Amino acid sequence: MYPSKFDYVRAQSVEEAVERTSSHSNAKLLAGGHSLIPALKLRLAQPDLLVDLGRIAALKGISRHNGTVSVGALTTHATCAASDDLPKVWSEAAGLIGDPQVRNRGTVGGNIAHADPASDLPTVLIALGAQIHVQGTAGSRAIPADEFFVDLFTTSLEEGEIITRVEVPAESNQGSAYTKVFNPASRYAILGVAAQVAIAGGVCRQLRVAAGGSTPKAIRAHHVEAALQGQPLNDTTIQHAAAAIAEDLGEEVIGDMYASAAYRRSIAAQIAARALSAAAARAR
Amino acid sequence: MTAINVVVNGKSYTREVEPRLLLVDFIRDTLSLTGTNIACDTSQCGACTIHLDGQAVKSCTVLAVQADGSTLTTIEGLANGKLHPMQQAFWDQHGLQCGYCTPGMIMAAAKLVEENPEITEAEIRHGLEGNLCRCTGYQNIVAAVAQAAKA
Ligand SMILES: Cc1cc2nc3c(=O)[nH]c(=O)nc-3n(C[C@H](O)[C@H](O)[C@H](O)COP(=O)(O)OP(=O)(O)OC[C@H]3O[C@@H](n4cnc5c(N)ncnc54)[C@H](O)[C@@H]3O)c2cc1C
Ligand code: FES
Ligand code: FES
């Protein structure tokens, strides 16, 4: 398959990439290419110019300081999967993305900019309360993950804005986990649940839960959180709280050739319970 | 057209390419190294797997221009005088039927074992999730990778 013709430039800096994309009417950024190149081949995307971020070293890598972990937009899923600095829920989810070849190319920035409802990272970033740092012609800003994902393949990025890094709080005493049901061919999520919990005095203190893969955009599972907050963590309380995910998923559950909406609804409580149990077992 | 330079199997090549040229087509059509196969052309099957700067990647989902300045190994470059242990193991364990998926399987598996010499059977199966065999010869493929890991 051949993409339609386009020009190509390799940006040397974020500033150059911003300048190139914003001064051109039909330009697209290229990171790992593992969502964009398939779309180019199918001619779902037909840009006149590709601005390749691939060699901007400043956008790569994971660093930790003062309780915060910062992940460059160009960091690959393989790097995230191998990181001890990231919260467990992120490294665990990264290791479940696609396959090794996909993880070697796919990047954090490309994943979230694409906002595929079947992606894993939006779910993880919402659970972690991530801040998404972007740079554009008007300067830089940080967007909370809750506000970043707007709809199916739609984010709150403005024209010409580039994701530079994602910040999440470092994990200390919390435990976290990601549980996923796969599409058997692509390994994208049919349903994924991310949970992070802290335990104090034998009860659940701080809890964040999110779900994705089954709704047009990943959602925060407020009902699950409310049902478990302040409760002791055992099978009974976890099963009870996990059942509340039906309310969080709401009416807009996706059904497609891989899994019907009814199937996704029927597995949701079980998958949520597994994520909560695994997170609780890791909390200290 | 854009000029790119790549080192493939130890040999340096400079060529003018269209930006839309896929790396797999560059390898097969421009360099005439046809050991790397194209099967699905949709990033799913892994038949086109090569090593790009030391990492297994699906070359149907990389543009040739993205590889400028990089070092590549294809199935033709894996043997070094004698068959690579992974190639020998596929031979010994009959890890192929029609052979179409084999170059990609071997390239992916070689990296798995290099990164994890103590690899378990479960890890082999998980690690080869990006490679599909339409002949469904997985049993012998897994046996071959296990043999190579011990070699
Ligand atoms: C076979 C296969 C299986 C996969 N399985 C999974 C899975 O299980 N789970 C999962 O989550 N993902 C999965 N993916 C997606 C993959 O892991 C990548 O996350 C995804 O391809 C996007 O990252 P990329 O770097 O390849 O982005 P690209 O394809 O280069 O870009 C994607 C989009 O993001 C834009 N973009 C890229 N970088 C930036 C930036 N810094 N700022 C602003 N915009 C930007 C581009 O313009 C483009 O519109 C799979 C992909 C494939 C091919
Ligand atoms: S041909 Fe590249 S993944 Fe199938
Ligand atoms: S041996 Fe025929 S596709 Fe694998």
Side-chain angles (χ1 to χ4, degrees), chain B residues 87-143:
Chain B
Q87 293 173 306
Q88 186 63 49
F90 269 69
W91 181 300
D92 294 344
Q93 300 291 336
H94 199 70
L96 63 151
Q97 293 178 43
C98 79
Y100 204 84
C101 69
T102 313
M105 282 285 178
I106 289 180
M107 296 310 281
K111 274 293 152 199
L112 286 182
V113 169
E114 184 186 313
E115 287 161 11
N116 181 6
E118 307 282 302
I119 195 161
T120 64
E121 178 178 335
E123 288 168 340
I124 294 171
R125 291 183 188 274
H126 180 55
L128 288 178
E129 268 158 5
N131 293 75
L132 303 180
C133 174
R134 284 304 295 272
C135 301
T136 67
Y138 295 106
Q139 209 58 33
N140 288 0
I141 290 170
V142 172

Side-chain angles (χ1 to χ4, degrees), chain A residues 28-38 53 59 73-74 77 96-99 102-103 105-114 118-122 157 161-164 180 182 186-189, chain B residues 42-44 58 61:
Chain A
K28 258 211 168 289
L29 297 167
L30 173 66
H34 270 50
S35 291
L36 184 54
I37 294 173
L53 303 173
L59 291 180
L74 221 60
H77 304 311
L96 295 173
I97 287 178
D99 53 61
V102 168
R103 296 195 286 274
R105 294 297 293 175
T107 68
V108 169
N111 187 294
I112 60 178
H114 195 56
S119 278
D120 299 297
L121 279 194
L157 278 176
E161 268 183 337
I162 295 179
I163 302 164
T164 52
K180 169 179 180 181
F182 297 90
S186 70
R187 320 210 57 89
Y188 270 105
Chain B
T42 59
S43 330
Q44 308 266 350
K58 294 174 178 176
T61 314

Side-chain angles (χ1 to χ4, degrees), chain B residues 20-92:
Chain B
R20 64 172 171 169
L21 184 69
L22 300 173
L23 183 57
V24 70
D25 292 321
F26 174 78
I27 291 167
R28 289 178 53 85
D29 300 343
T30 311
L31 303 185
S32 299
L33 292 167
T34 54
T36 303
N37 284 339
I38 310 176
C40 70
D41 206 357
T42 59
S43 330
Q44 308 266 350
C45 77
C48 62
T49 301
I50 60 151
H51 299 170
L52 172 63
D53 291 327
Q55 288 187 317
V57 305
K58 294 174 178 176
S59 62
C60 74
T61 314
V62 179
L63 299 171
V65 285
Q66 287 179 287
D68 180 28
S70 293
T71 300
L72 281 61
T73 306
T74 68
I75 188 72
E76 290 92 341
L78 205 57
N80 181 11
K82 65 179 178 33
L83 290 182
H84 183 279
M86 192 59 73
Q87 293 173 306
Q88 186 63 49
F90 269 69
W91 181 300
D92 294 344

Side-chain angles (χ1 to χ4, degrees), chain A residues 4-53:
Chain A
S4 52
K5 289 194 184 206
F6 49 78
D7 292 325
Y8 169 89
V9 290
R10 183 179 280 180
Q12 305 300 329
S13 66
V14 175
E15 291 70 26
E16 184 193 343
V18 169
E19 157 63 26
R20 295 267 195 187
T21 35
S22 54
S23 62
H24 196 284
S25 62
N26 187 20
K28 258 211 168 289
L29 297 167
L30 173 66
H34 270 50
S35 291
L36 184 54
I37 294 173
L40 292 173
K41 288 189 190 179
L42 295 170
R43 306 204 174 192
L44 293 171
Q46 302 197 345
D48 298 322
L49 174 69
L50 281 194
V51 178
D52 188 356
L53 303 173

